[in-house]
Amino acid sequence: MTMRSKLRLGALPVIGVAAALAPLFLAGYRLVFFLLMFLHVGLAYSWNLVSGFTGYISFGHVAFFGIGAYVVGILSGIHHWNWLIAVPLAGALVLVISLPLGWLMLRLKGPYFAIGMLAVAQATALVASLWDGLTRGGLGIFVSSSYNVVGVYYGLLIVLAVVMGVTYWVDNSRFGLRLLSIREDESAAEAMGVDTTRDKILAFALSALFPGLIGGLYAWYIGYIDPRSVFSLFFSVNMILMTLLGGAGTFLGPLIGGIAFTFVVESLWVRFPEYHLMSTGLAVIVIVMFIPNGIIDVLKKRGWLTHRRRILTRLIRSVETTPQKKAEVPERV
Amino acid sequence: MSEGSEPVLRTDGLLKRFGGVTAVDGCGFEVMRDSMTGLIGPNGSGKTTTFDLITGFQRPDKGTIYFEDNRIDGDRPYRIARNGLGRTFQITRVFPQMTVLENLLVGATGTELRSAAARALHLLDLVGLSDLRDEFCSRLSFGQQKLVEMARIHMRPQKLVLLDEPFAGVNPTLTEKLVAYIEKLRGEGTTYLIIDHEMKLIMRICDRILVLDQGKLLTEGSPEEVQTNSQVLSSYFGDK
Ligand SMILES: Nc1ncnc2c1ncn2[C@@H]1O[C@H](COP(=O)(O)OP(=O)(O)O)[C@@H](O)[C@H]1O
Ligand SMILES: [Mg+2]
């Protein structure tokens, strides 16, 4: 890692502290703006863990978000549990569901997985609508009568810090290299000794856990949920959009994409909601055509960021300093 | 190099059907430890499928495969790989959006990281790719990708390496280089089973040859023995 990128990454904890102090200075819409930014960026990071690193593009990640929202809706809204207990339970339930679901779905490849996940999301939305004994169906649930901005702000900040930490670890670990090798060529990875099934399921579960938590926090924040709002296809599409915009399968990509996305959404879409659908479609086309590897790739090409992984850099340096016998056949091809 | 007396790989009565096609038809053979064995046969004779069966990418309909003393037919590919049975594919399959060094480290999955890194540096030096170690593989030439693949497969201590047409589409200079690397790495105690079309090359570098035809083992023996069986061979290979 170069001095420059070290400085840049070192800025993250500083920004984190500033974010933790922000509620002392900000209130009202300004605080909500950051709350929404954490929500978006957190969702982008979650999606990136499985789809960015392994290349299994999920169109249905809203399922985990929606389930998380409903766990908090049912526990806190209907049964009046403390949200601080309900939110972790939402994450736990989603995690438990994600293991067998991942085992099942990750047998599908490419577009079949993508569409399969879309079907999963539709199915969970349907369950939320039809199982009205549990979920109150289309009536929805009033989760909270108060507006819980500061608590949720901190909740989302913590979730975001954790999912970023996890991503940083993945991006600098052998686990991450294995996930990337699955994205690149799954059979070749398997032939190299990668337990592709296990690694994919692990990435899938990690990538489901955080939307579960975020969905739970969202329910507590927004105060009212129904199947249409928390299982909206837009959540899935936005996760894809933000991650592709920033750069999939990288550490900083979801951050950059998520922040850019939040500014666009909050400044434009809120004013012109009728163009939401059209502009989303346009954005996808523009990204895929002009920056297929995201903003981060542009930055790397300009030399503003390096792609060397910390684990490799450190390791190679330590190996190189210990004397090595030179091999023969030095000719180059 | 002297041939060991015991087989490292033993297949018996292997059968694999794809719909109406019988790709491998009751194939049984042994690969002796420390040998360089060639697997030849006309296009579609079931060579690649045989590799797929041995490495777990296809499950045999019938038959058994023993690797050393373990029965491995039906095992998951990654398990077989971790036991020291490596393979390459007929088409070059590097990980394009990963660097050369990252490619090599994935090849050492399941081994200790520090020694894997040392091994990677050693192999990159051997094949002359040290300067390109942080380059993405997508930016390498075909020949360089071949070298990455060759280095990557040797990242773990292999007992047996299956190479599926490693010289296909490769110019004569590079072919000689690849052969030299194989000869060199062979000294580390690895056995090779090599598929190739170039009869002359296979006859030169292998000490033992298996001839496959329509999924059956047609004949086997030393290059000389197989060559004298030329009536049979010429009908499949013409005069190459
Ligand atoms: N996955 C598959 N599905 C259907 N047929 C296959 C498959 N793999 C191989 N075959 C058929 O099996 C036969 C043997 O193929 P292969 O093992 O690739 O031969 P070789 O490598 O000797 O050229 C061919 O007829 C081929 O068409
Ligand atoms: Mg073949």
Side-chain angles (χ1 to χ4, degrees):
Chain A
M1 194 177 306
T2 64
M3 205 55 208
R4 260 152 104 209
S5 64
K6 211 179 253 172
L7 281 177
R8 220 160 263 133
L9 287 181
L12 285 177
V14 177
I15 295 171
V17 172
L21 297 175
L24 299 177
F25 309 103
L26 300 177
Y29 173 72
R30 287 191 187 156
L31 195 60
V32 168
F33 177 85
F34 284 104
L35 180 152
L36 292 174
M37 181 183 282
F38 298 164
L39 182 124
H40 291 141
V41 174
L43 288 176
Y45 267 101
S46 312
W47 186 84
N48 186 45
L49 277 171
V50 69
S51 298
F53 282 95
T54 72
Y56 276 73
I57 304 293
S58 164
F59 281 0
H61 255 50
V62 71
F64 308 122
F65 179 88
I67 293 170
Y70 261 93
V71 170
V72 171
I74 292 163
L75 293 181
S76 295
I78 299 177
H79 298 290
H80 306 294
W81 288 33
N82 190 323
W83 67 285
L84 291 172
I85 296 170
V87 169
L89 282 177
L93 180 73
V94 168
L95 191 63
V96 167
I97 291 173
S98 73
L99 290 169
L101 185 67
W103 177 80
L104 199 71
M105 298 306 293
L106 290 162
R107 290 156 180 258
L108 303 173
K109 306 249 182 279
Y112 299 101
F113 174 78
I115 303 299
M117 284 303 296
L118 185 65
V120 166
Q122 297 301 98
T124 46
L126 205 61
V127 169
S129 294
L130 297 180
W131 194 355
D132 47 13
L134 183 72
T135 65
R136 300 196 173 157
L139 280 179
I141 301 173
F142 285 95
V143 187
S144 159
S145 51
S146 60
Y147 199 47
N148 310 297
V149 176
V150 175
V152 170
Y153 176 94
Y154 280 113
L156 285 170
L157 182 60
I158 291 168
V159 172
L160 178 58
V162 174
V163 72
M164 284 182 74
V166 167
T167 303
Y168 187 73
W169 169 75
V170 168
D171 193 41
N172 285 289
S173 67
R174 289 183 105 182
F175 175 62
L177 286 186
R178 296 201 299 272
L179 295 185
L180 289 174
S181 76
I182 291 171
R183 178 188 77 183
E184 296 294 293
D185 188 332
E186 191 166 343
S187 306
E190 183 92 24
M192 296 292 110
V194 176
D195 184 351
T196 54
T197 306
R198 190 198 63 179
D199 288 344
K200 281 189 300 188
I201 294 174
L202 226 67
F204 186 82
L206 278 175
S207 142
L209 164 67
F210 297 102
L213 294 167
I214 294 170
L217 288 163
Y218 177 78
W220 186 244
Y221 158 72
I222 204 83
Y224 169 78
I225 59 170
D226 68 4
R228 279 173 57 163
S229 63
V230 296
F231 287 102
S232 163
L233 180 62
F234 272 112
F235 281 110
S236 294
V237 173
N238 291 345
M239 289 185 225
I240 301 173
L241 188 61
M242 289 184 280
T243 312
L244 293 186
L245 175 64
T250 64
F251 169 59
L252 288 174
L255 182 67
I256 295 170
I259 291 174
F261 174 87
T262 307
F263 274 102
V264 172
V265 170
E266 291 303 305
S267 58
L268 295 177
W269 287 358
V270 170
R271 268 177 244 171
F272 312 104
E274 62 273 26
Y275 295 119
H276 189 155
L277 192 62
M278 196 183 78
S279 53
T280 304
L282 258 174
V284 171
I285 292 169
V286 168
I287 293 169
V288 170
M289 281 182 68
F290 295 104
I291 42 168
N293 296 318
I295 296 171
I296 200 116
D297 189 53
V298 178
L299 298 181
K300 278 176 184 166
K301 283 196 176 127
R302 294 190 166 222
W304 293 354
L305 280 172
T306 54
H307 65 248
R308 289 190 76 175
R309 296 174 205 287
R310 197 174 49 100
I311 174 190
L312 293 188
T313 315
R314 251 200 351 234
L315 192 70
I316 292 305
R317 209 167 281 155
S318 80
V319 170
E320 271 176 338
T321 50
T322 56
Q324 274 234 337
K325 52 176 171 60
K326 282 269 174 211
E328 288 160 42
V329 206
E331 278 168 82
R332 316 217 171 252
V333 175
Chain B
M1 196 153 292
S2 67
E3 249 181 54
S5 53
E6 46 148 8
V8 64
L9 182 81
R10 193 151 44 87
T11 76
D12 197 27
L14 279 187
L15 186 92
K16 182 66 189 178
R17 287 200 185 93
F18 296 109
V21 182
T22 305
V24 176
D25 192 2
C27 200
F29 59 84
E30 291 181 344
V31 175
M32 293 300 169
R33 196 183 291 281
D34 290 333
S35 71
M36 183 93 92
T37 302
L39 179 62
I40 62 174
N43 247 328
S45 57
K47 304 183 294 294
T48 297
T49 306
T50 302
F51 271 20
D52 286 344
L53 295 175
I54 295 170
T55 51
F57 283 89
Q58 300 278 356
R59 189 179 278 271
D61 298 325
K62 273 194 195 133
T64 56
I65 304 167
Y66 281 89
F67 177 49
E68 298 191 306
D69 292 328
N70 305 313
R71 190 167 163 182
I72 59 166
D73 45 280
D75 271 9
R76 288 271 313 274
Y78 84 92
R79 282 189 175 281
I80 295 171
R82 287 192 187 187
N83 285 333
L85 202 173
R87 76 168 291 181
T88 62
F89 295 88
Q90 195 165 338
I91 314 158
T92 309
R93 287 171 89 162
V94 293
F95 305 123
Q97 296 304 318
M98 295 175 76
T99 67
V100 171
L101 186 61
E102 289 167 1
N103 264 266
L104 263 58
L105 284 183
V106 171
T109 298
T111 69
E112 199 258 318
L113 183 56
R114 220 188 112 82
S115 56
R119 175 86 179 152
L121 294 185
H122 168 72
L123 286 169
L124 287 177
D125 197 30
L126 178 76
V127 301
L129 289 178
S130 296
D131 293 344
L132 295 174
R133 75 176 185 214
D134 294 321
E135 197 62 72
F136 283 101
C137 279
S138 59
R139 298 167 62 102
L140 302 186
S141 71
F142 174 75
Q144 288 165 334
Q145 294 190 1
K146 277 273 170 196
L147 292 174
V148 170
E149 212 175 34
M150 184 63 72
R152 190 177 67 180
I153 195 66
H154 289 99
M155 276 296 291
R156 66 173 73 245
Q158 303 283 20
K159 293 165 186 155
L160 175 63
V161 171
L162 313 185
L163 301 172
D164 196 345
E165 304 202 18
F167 312 115
V170 172
N171 67 47
T173 322
L174 181 56
T175 298
E176 285 314 309
K177 255 175 203 160
L178 291 172
V179 169
Y181 300 144
I182 293 170
E183 295 282 1
K184 203 171 172 65
L185 291 160
R186 194 185 168 193
E188 298 181 359
T190 305
T191 305
Y192 290 88
L193 179 61
I194 305 176
I195 294 178
D196 207 74
H197 278 311
E198 267 308 314
M199 284 288 286
K200 276 199 189 110
L201 184 67
I202 284 290
M203 292 289 177
R204 176 160 66 85
I205 67 176
C206 291
D207 38 41
R208 192 171 178 78
I209 298 200
L210 308 167
V211 185
L212 221 55
D213 181 47
Q214 295 183 9
K216 289 193 175 73
L217 189 70
L218 188 67
T219 178
E220 64 176 310
S222 68
E224 297 76 32
E225 286 164 349
V226 170
Q227 234 154 1
T228 53
N229 212 332
S230 60
Q231 311 94 303
V232 189
L233 285 177
S234 61
S235 64
Y236 297 106
F237 298 102
D239 282 313
K240 265 200 174 174

